[in-house]
Amino acid sequence: MASLVKKTKKPALQPLSFHSHPTMPPPPQTTLSTVLHLVLFLLLSSTTTAISTSQDTSDLEQDCTNKWIHIRDLPPQFNLDLLKNCSEYPLFDNFCSYLSNHGLGQKTYNDSHSWYRTDPFMLELIFHRRMLEYPCLTSDPNLANAIYLPYYAGLDSLKYLFGPAVNSSFLHGLDLFHYLAHQDSESIWHKNFGHDHFLVMARPAWDFCQPLSNDPPIFGTSLLELPEFYNVTMLTFEARAFPWQEIAIPYPTSFHPSNLALFEAWINRLRRTRRSTLMLFAAGGGISANPNVRRSIRLECDNSTNVSLNGSITMKYAKLCEFVDCSNGICEHDPIRFMKPMLQASFCLQPPGDTPTRRSTFDGILAGCIPVFFEELSAKKQYKWHLPEEKYEEFSVFIPKEEVVFKGLKILDVLMSIPRAEVRRMREKVLEMIPRVMYRKHGSSLGLRSKKDAFDIAIDGTLQRIKSRLEDSA
Ligand SMILES: *[C@@H]1O[C@H](CO)[C@@H](O)[C@H](O)[C@H]1NC(C)=O
Ligand SMILES: *[C@@H]1O[C@H](CO)[C@@H](O)[C@H](O)[C@H]1NC(C)=O
Ligand SMILES: *[C@@H]1O[C@H](CO)[C@@H](O)[C@H](O)[C@H]1NC(C)=O
Ligand SMILES: *[C@@H]1O[C@H](CO)[C@@H](O)[C@H](O)[C@H]1NC(C)=O
Ligand SMILES: *[C@@H]1O[C@H](CO)[C@@H](O)[C@H](O)[C@H]1NC(C)=O
Ligand SMILES: *[C@@H]1O[C@H](CO)[C@@H](O)[C@H](O)[C@H]1NC(C)=O
Ligand SMILES: *[C@@H]1O[C@H](CO)[C@@H](O)[C@H](O)[C@H]1NC(C)=O
C-alpha cells in the first residue's frame, strides 16, 4: 500500500499544456475557502435532495423503473466534517487543495478545460457530487431500489491509518452502523437489513480488511471484516482475490471533460498522435534487489538501447522503451509528467506493485496506450462491470509475470512480434473503452451524458447487484 501513501509534500506544479499553451503559473491555492464553498454546496443540495437537471433529463427520456436511488441523510461527522479536517493528519498530506471542483482538484492551469490535478482518494467526494445530479433520485426511501450512503469511508479511515486512532482501527465504521441501525427514526436500514445500501471506499479493499483479532493492529482498519457491514455493497478501487461485499471500480484519472466536443477533440488527438515509443513504464522507486516483475521491466528497459533492431521496427519506433520516473510522488498531482510520454507510446506496462492494481492503468487507457498486464488481479478479475472480461484479448496484452521473472521471457520480444495492423486494431478498442473508465465532470452537457461513464456504469452494476441480493434474501 506504500505506493498509495503520500510520503511527500505537494509536487511542484507544472502547467499541463495539452493545448500548446505557454508556460503559466499554477492557479492560487484556495484551501479554506474551497472547503467552505464545498461544505455549503453539499449542505444546500442535501436539503433539496437533488440538483435540478429536470429540463435536460426530460430530453434523455429517462425511464426510472428499477433505478430509483435514495440518498441517506447522514450527520456531518460522516462526510463534511471529514473535509474540514483536511489538514489534520500528521502522517498524510494536507489534502485541502485536492477538494476543489468538488473533488476533481485544481485545474492543471487556469484555462484548461478538461484536465485537473485529481487525487484518486477524492472519489468519495466526486461520486457524491455526481449522485446529486443522478436523474432518478427519490426522497422516499420506501420507493428506492437502492440507498446511497454519502459516507466518506476512506477519508474517515485516515485517523486510523495515519492519525491518533491508530490503535483502535477495529472501530472504523461502527459509529455509522450505530447511527443506521439504532439512531435513525425512519428505520431505513431494517427494511432490508442493509442489503439495499451501498457506499464508496476510495482505497483498495486491503486497507479495510485487517482481521479483528490483530492486536495491536498492523496497517489497515477492519471495516470489511465487520459482520455489521456484510450486507452493504462497497465500491472500491481494488477488491480482494475472493471479494464478498466489495466491487472494484476505476480509479479516477485527471481527465474530466464537460461536453462532447471536448471529449471528441481528445479522442481525435489520440488517433492522430505519433507513437514513437514501443513500450512505456511509469512508476516510482529504484531497482530492487529481489527478483520481481518491476525489477525485470526496469532491467529490460535500461538494456533496450542494446537490443539489435529489425528494419521495420526501427523505422516505426524511435525508442523501444521509456521509463518515466515518478519517484517521491512527483507524478501524483502533475499529470503532464506521464500523460505526454503515454501519448507517444504504443504499449503501457502495468505490473503489480504493493497491490495488484494501479491508477496508471486508467491513465494509460485515457492516453490510448495499450495496457500490458502481468497478472489477472491487476484488472481482469477486478473491473468486470467497466472492462468486460471477454474483451481483454482485444484491447490488452497479457504476459504472466512468472514467465518474465523466472523464465527470462523478454517483454520486448512479445510486443515486437505483434503485427502492426493488430496493434492498430487494439488501439481502436482501447479508444472504445475510454468513456467507460473516465469520470466526466459534474454538470456535463447532455451530449456527453449520453455516453455511459465510469460513474453511470458503477450505478448500473450496483442496482443490478442489489436487485439480485434482495431477490436472494426474499
Ligand atoms: C488564474 O485564475 C485566478 C483566479 O481565477 C487569478 O487570480 C489568476 O490571476 C489567474 N492566473 C493567470 C496566470 O491567469
Ligand atoms: C476532526 O474533526 C473532529 C470534529 O470537528 C475532531 O473531533 C477531530 O479531532 C478532528 N481531527 C481528526 C484527526 O480526526
Ligand atoms: C499504539 O500501540 C503501540 C503498541 O502497543 C504503542 O507503541 C503506540 O504508542 C500506540 N500509539 C498510539 C497513538 O496510541
Ligand atoms: C444481513 O442480512 C441477513 C439476512 O440476509 C440478516 O440476518 C442480518 O441480520 C443482516 N445483518 C445486519 C447487520 O443487519
Ligand atoms: C541485455 O541485452 C543483451 C544484448 O541484446 C541481451 O543479450 C540480454 O539478455 C539483455 N538483458 C536483459 C536483462 O534484458
Ligand atoms: C549496453 O551497451 C552499452 C555499450 O554498448 C554498455 O556499456 C552497457 O553496459 C550495456 N547495458 C547492458 C544492461 O547490458
Ligand atoms: C526480424 O524480421 C524478420 C522478418 O521480417 C523476422 O523473421 C525476425 O524474427 C525478426 N527478428 C526480430 C528479432 O524481431
Side-chain angles (χ1 to χ4, degrees):
M1 273 120 296
S3 64
L4 288 166
V5 175
K6 304 291 188 315
K7 294 194 194 85
T8 50
K9 291 271 161 252
K10 258 185 89 56
L13 297 177
Q14 278 191 357
L16 181 59
S17 49
F18 276 130
H19 302 279
S20 62
H21 270 266
T23 305
M24 194 183 276
Q29 305 289 310
T30 48
T31 51
L32 188 59
S33 67
T34 303
V35 177
L36 292 179
H37 169 81
L38 201 70
V39 168
L40 193 64
F41 176 86
L42 290 171
L43 282 176
L44 288 174
S45 47
S46 67
T47 53
T48 54
T49 306
I51 293 164
S52 173
T53 49
S54 49
Q55 76 274 33
D56 293 348
T57 48
S58 64
D59 299 344
L60 270 182
E61 294 290 332
Q62 270 295 336
D63 173 8
C64 289
T65 314
N66 296 324
K67 293 184 186 166
W68 293 107
I69 297 181
H70 172 75
I71 302 181
R72 283 299 303 261
D73 211 357
L74 295 181
Q77 76 185 90
F78 298 114
N79 43 46
L80 302 180
D81 285 355
L82 300 166
L83 305 182
K84 289 190 219 150
N85 270 359
C86 59
S87 58
E88 286 185 26
Y89 303 96
L91 297 175
F92 191 78
D93 233 6
N94 172 338
F95 62 87
C96 300
S97 67
Y98 313 152
L99 299 174
S100 4
N101 295 306
H102 299 280
L104 301 182
Q106 298 178 334
K107 289 189 168 190
T108 47
Y109 57 92
N110 262 9
D111 52 358
S112 97
H113 294 297
S114 309
W115 292 89
Y116 295 82
R117 301 177 186 278
T118 306
D119 188 281
F121 293 128
M122 299 303 126
L123 182 61
E124 289 153 4
L125 195 53
I126 297 171
F127 207 94
H128 188 183
R129 176 61 185 81
R130 285 290 303 279
M131 274 309 310
L132 296 176
E133 65 186 50
Y134 175 68
C136 303
L137 290 180
T138 171
S139 54
D140 181 355
N142 294 309
L143 295 180
N145 303 102
I147 311 275
Y148 167 61
L149 291 172
Y151 169 52
Y152 301 162
L155 295 181
D156 196 25
S157 76
L158 293 176
K159 66 172 179 275
Y160 303 109
L161 301 178
F162 307 108
V166 66
N167 286 340
S168 29
S169 59
F170 56 91
L171 292 177
H172 182 208
L174 288 178
D175 284 349
L176 177 69
F177 181 75
H178 184 71
Y179 174 79
L180 295 173
H182 303 299
Q183 286 178 310
D184 166 38
S185 53
E186 290 180 82
S187 259
I188 300 173
W189 175 272
H190 297 285
K191 192 174 152 228
N192 290 301
F193 299 107
H195 285 291
D196 51 357
H197 284 50
F198 72 101
L199 59 81
V200 179
M201 308 190 306
R203 300 187 75 88
W206 299 108
D207 290 357
F208 304 109
C209 56
Q210 169 162 209
L212 287 157
S213 54
N214 278 2
D215 186 21
I218 312 163
F219 189 83
T221 80
S222 303
L223 185 73
L224 289 171
E225 298 283 319
L226 294 173
E228 284 85 343
F229 285 102
Y230 281 174
N231 298 342
V232 176
T233 294
M234 315 260 193
L235 307 180
T236 177
F237 292 149
E238 179 178 312
R240 291 166 288 183
F242 301 100
W244 173 234
Q245 67 273 56
E246 78 272 22
I247 307 282
I249 62 173
Y251 290 78
T253 64
S254 291
F255 181 59
H256 309 286
S258 61
N259 65 48
L260 201 54
L262 291 169
F263 171 76
E264 283 174 350
W266 179 250
I267 300 292
N268 288 334
R269 171 149 185 205
L270 296 182
R271 287 221 169 83
R272 284 197 316 267
T273 182
R274 202 174 103 71
R275 308 269 166 181
S276 55
T277 306
L278 175 66
M279 70 186 200
L280 174 141
F281 179 42
I287 299 185
S288 73
N290 302 325
N292 66 49
V293 66
R294 288 186 172 223
R295 178 176 192 269
S296 303
I297 290 170
R298 287 290 302 277
L299 291 177
E300 195 178 333
C301 200
D302 289 352
N303 197 17
S304 65
T305 44
N306 297 15
V307 172
S308 62
L309 286 172
N310 230 335
S312 62
I313 292 279
T314 326
M315 264 162 31
K316 180 153 165 56
Y317 295 107
K319 234 187 269 175
L320 285 181
C321 182
E322 176 163 7
F323 173 67
V324 177
D325 189 353
C326 287
S327 299
N328 302 319
I330 55 169
C331 298
E332 278 173 17
H333 304 104
D334 199 2
I336 193 169
R337 283 182 191 263
F338 51 84
M339 287 307 291
K340 276 220 157 161
M342 279 177 171
L343 274 178
Q344 290 161 8
S346 274
F347 295 94
C348 284
L349 309 185
Q350 306 295 1
D354 297 317
T355 71
T357 67
R358 322 179 64 201
R359 166 188 165 163
S360 177
T361 295
F362 301 100
D363 294 319
I365 291 174
L366 255 297
C369 188
I370 300 162
V372 181
F373 297 116
F374 299 87
E375 63 174 48
E376 297 206 321
L377 265 185
S378 288
K380 193 172 182 178
K381 295 235 171 294
Q382 298 282 352
Y383 307 105
K384 295 182 186 178
W385 292 344
H386 293 80
L387 299 173
E389 273 180 282
E390 68 277 9
K391 300 264 188 199
Y392 274 76
E393 296 213 338
E394 297 170 21
F395 76 86
S396 71
V397 176
F398 184 72
I399 307 178
K401 60 179 193 277
E402 298 76 17
E403 299 286 319
V404 176
V405 180
F406 300 114
K407 302 199 181 150
L409 178 65
K410 294 280 172 269
I411 299 162
L412 281 172
D413 289 346
V414 176
L415 299 182
M416 285 194 292
S417 72
I418 302 175
R420 289 168 67 163
E422 178 65 15
V423 174
R424 270 196 301 275
R425 266 198 300 279
M426 294 177 91
R427 185 153 53 238
E428 264 314 303
K429 290 288 172 191
V430 171
L431 300 191
E432 274 175 33
M433 295 296 154
I434 289 180
R436 306 179 65 83
V437 301
M438 84 187 186
Y439 292 88
R440 64 170 184 264
K441 193 183 177 195
H442 51 266
S444 289
S445 72
L446 193 62
L448 189 56
R449 274 189 274 144
S450 68
K451 289 186 188 297
K452 282 188 193 271
D453 77 339
F455 171 89
D456 298 325
I457 292 169
I459 292 293
D460 286 353
T462 300
L463 285 164
Q464 274 293 320
R465 182 175 196 271
I466 286 176
K467 184 163 179 277
S468 64
R469 290 185 71 79
L470 292 177
E471 283 163 3
D472 287 353
S473 67

